[in-house]
mmCIF file of all heavy atoms in Angstrom:
data_model
loop_
_atom_site.group_PDB
_atom_site.id
_atom_site.type_symbol
_atom_site.label_atom_id
_atom_site.label_comp_id
_atom_site.label_asym_id
_atom_site.label_seq_id
_atom_site.Cartn_x
_atom_site.Cartn_y
_atom_site.Cartn_z
ATOM 1 N N MET A 287 124.807 -13.504 88.688
ATOM 2 C CA MET A 287 124.774 -14.103 87.334
ATOM 3 C C MET A 287 124.929 -15.610 87.418
ATOM 4 O O MET A 287 124.210 -16.370 86.774
ATOM 5 C CB MET A 287 125.945 -13.581 86.488
ATOM 6 C CG MET A 287 125.713 -12.279 85.823
ATOM 7 S SD MET A 287 126.892 -11.985 84.485
ATOM 8 C CE MET A 287 128.467 -12.194 85.224
ATOM 9 N N LEU A 288 125.927 -16.030 88.198
ATOM 10 C CA LEU A 288 126.183 -17.465 88.319
ATOM 11 C C LEU A 288 124.990 -18.166 88.965
ATOM 12 O O LEU A 288 124.515 -19.195 88.462
ATOM 13 C CB LEU A 288 127.449 -17.713 89.156
ATOM 14 C CG LEU A 288 128.765 -17.270 88.523
ATOM 15 C CD1 LEU A 288 129.916 -17.427 89.524
ATOM 16 C CD2 LEU A 288 129.069 -18.075 87.261
ATOM 17 N N GLU A 289 124.483 -17.575 90.060
ATOM 18 C CA GLU A 289 123.356 -18.217 90.749
ATOM 19 C C GLU A 289 122.121 -18.278 89.859
ATOM 20 O O GLU A 289 121.350 -19.237 89.925
ATOM 21 C CB GLU A 289 123.047 -17.490 92.061
ATOM 22 C CG GLU A 289 124.036 -17.808 93.178
ATOM 23 C CD GLU A 289 124.001 -19.278 93.614
ATOM 24 O OE1 GLU A 289 122.913 -19.893 93.622
ATOM 25 O OE2 GLU A 289 125.077 -19.815 93.945
ATOM 26 N N ALA A 290 121.920 -17.275 89.026
ATOM 27 C CA ALA A 290 120.769 -17.299 88.112
ATOM 28 C C ALA A 290 120.903 -18.484 87.164
ATOM 29 O O ALA A 290 119.942 -19.216 86.913
ATOM 30 C CB ALA A 290 120.674 -15.981 87.345
ATOM 31 N N ALA A 291 122.105 -18.695 86.650
ATOM 32 C CA ALA A 291 122.315 -19.830 85.734
ATOM 33 C C ALA A 291 122.159 -21.165 86.477
ATOM 34 O O ALA A 291 121.557 -22.103 85.942
ATOM 35 C CB ALA A 291 123.704 -19.736 85.096
ATOM 36 N N PHE A 292 122.654 -21.214 87.729
ATOM 37 C CA PHE A 292 122.492 -22.461 88.506
ATOM 38 C C PHE A 292 121.000 -22.727 88.728
ATOM 39 O O PHE A 292 120.542 -23.864 88.630
ATOM 40 C CB PHE A 292 123.181 -22.384 89.881
ATOM 41 C CG PHE A 292 124.654 -22.050 89.850
ATOM 42 C CD1 PHE A 292 125.251 -21.406 90.931
ATOM 43 C CD2 PHE A 292 125.442 -22.389 88.749
ATOM 44 C CE1 PHE A 292 126.596 -21.099 90.920
ATOM 45 C CE2 PHE A 292 126.795 -22.071 88.739
ATOM 46 C CZ PHE A 292 127.372 -21.424 89.811
ATOM 47 N N GLY A 293 120.265 -21.662 89.043
ATOM 48 C CA GLY A 293 118.834 -21.798 89.323
ATOM 49 C C GLY A 293 118.071 -22.381 88.150
ATOM 50 O O GLY A 293 117.084 -23.093 88.318
ATOM 51 N N HIS A 294 118.528 -22.052 86.944
ATOM 52 C CA HIS A 294 117.889 -22.585 85.741
ATOM 53 C C HIS A 294 118.420 -23.960 85.367
ATOM 54 O O HIS A 294 117.954 -24.547 84.398
ATOM 55 C CB HIS A 294 118.124 -21.638 84.559
ATOM 56 C CG HIS A 294 117.265 -20.411 84.593
ATOM 57 N ND1 HIS A 294 115.935 -20.412 84.253
ATOM 58 C CD2 HIS A 294 117.551 -19.137 84.938
ATOM 59 C CE1 HIS A 294 115.435 -19.193 84.381
ATOM 60 N NE2 HIS A 294 116.398 -18.400 84.796
ATOM 61 N N GLY A 295 119.428 -24.423 86.065
ATOM 62 C CA GLY A 295 120.045 -25.697 85.683
ATOM 63 C C GLY A 295 120.933 -25.563 84.446
ATOM 64 O O GLY A 295 121.258 -26.557 83.793
ATOM 65 N N TRP A 296 121.354 -24.354 84.136
ATOM 66 C CA TRP A 296 122.163 -24.139 82.926
ATOM 67 C C TRP A 296 123.644 -24.365 83.163
ATOM 68 O O TRP A 296 124.408 -24.567 82.222
ATOM 69 C CB TRP A 296 121.952 -22.712 82.400
ATOM 70 C CG TRP A 296 120.573 -22.484 81.870
ATOM 71 C CD1 TRP A 296 119.679 -23.434 81.428
ATOM 72 C CD2 TRP A 296 119.910 -21.221 81.721
ATOM 73 N NE1 TRP A 296 118.513 -22.846 81.030
ATOM 74 C CE2 TRP A 296 118.635 -21.476 81.195
ATOM 75 C CE3 TRP A 296 120.283 -19.903 81.994
ATOM 76 C CZ2 TRP A 296 117.722 -20.459 80.913
ATOM 77 C CZ3 TRP A 296 119.384 -18.902 81.718
ATOM 78 C CH2 TRP A 296 118.114 -19.175 81.187
ATOM 79 N N LEU A 297 124.074 -24.215 84.405
ATOM 80 C CA LEU A 297 125.474 -24.483 84.749
ATOM 81 C C LEU A 297 125.468 -25.318 86.019
ATOM 82 O O LEU A 297 124.588 -25.140 86.880
ATOM 83 C CB LEU A 297 126.242 -23.181 85.029
ATOM 84 C CG LEU A 297 126.650 -22.319 83.850
ATOM 85 C CD1 LEU A 297 127.221 -20.990 84.363
ATOM 86 C CD2 LEU A 297 127.680 -23.015 82.974
ATOM 87 N N GLU A 298 126.463 -26.158 86.158
ATOM 88 C CA GLU A 298 126.540 -26.994 87.346
ATOM 89 C C GLU A 298 127.273 -26.229 88.449
ATOM 90 O O GLU A 298 128.404 -25.777 88.253
ATOM 91 C CB GLU A 298 127.298 -28.277 86.986
ATOM 92 C CG GLU A 298 127.089 -29.381 87.980
ATOM 93 C CD GLU A 298 128.379 -30.053 88.321
ATOM 94 O OE1 GLU A 298 128.992 -30.656 87.398
ATOM 95 O OE2 GLU A 298 128.793 -29.940 89.499
ATOM 96 N N ARG A 299 126.587 -26.066 89.603
ATOM 97 C CA ARG A 299 127.066 -25.150 90.644
ATOM 98 C C ARG A 299 128.496 -25.462 91.115
ATOM 99 O O ARG A 299 129.380 -24.611 91.043
ATOM 100 C CB ARG A 299 126.105 -25.159 91.824
ATOM 101 C CG ARG A 299 126.532 -24.239 92.953
ATOM 102 C CD ARG A 299 125.609 -24.268 94.154
ATOM 103 N NE ARG A 299 124.624 -23.198 94.123
ATOM 104 C CZ ARG A 299 123.340 -23.351 93.910
ATOM 105 N NH1 ARG A 299 122.847 -24.553 93.710
ATOM 106 N NH2 ARG A 299 122.517 -22.330 93.903
ATOM 107 N N THR A 302 131.368 -25.096 88.535
ATOM 108 C CA THR A 302 131.497 -23.712 88.064
ATOM 109 C C THR A 302 132.170 -22.841 89.131
ATOM 110 O O THR A 302 133.029 -22.017 88.821
ATOM 111 C CB THR A 302 130.112 -23.131 87.721
ATOM 112 O OG1 THR A 302 129.450 -24.018 86.824
ATOM 113 C CG2 THR A 302 130.230 -21.762 87.086
#
Side-chain angles (χ1 to χ4, degrees):
M287 276 197 306
L288 292 173
E289 284 295 325
F292 304 152
H294 284 283
W296 292 338
L297 284 172
E298 197 225 297
R299 180 182 264 109
T302 307

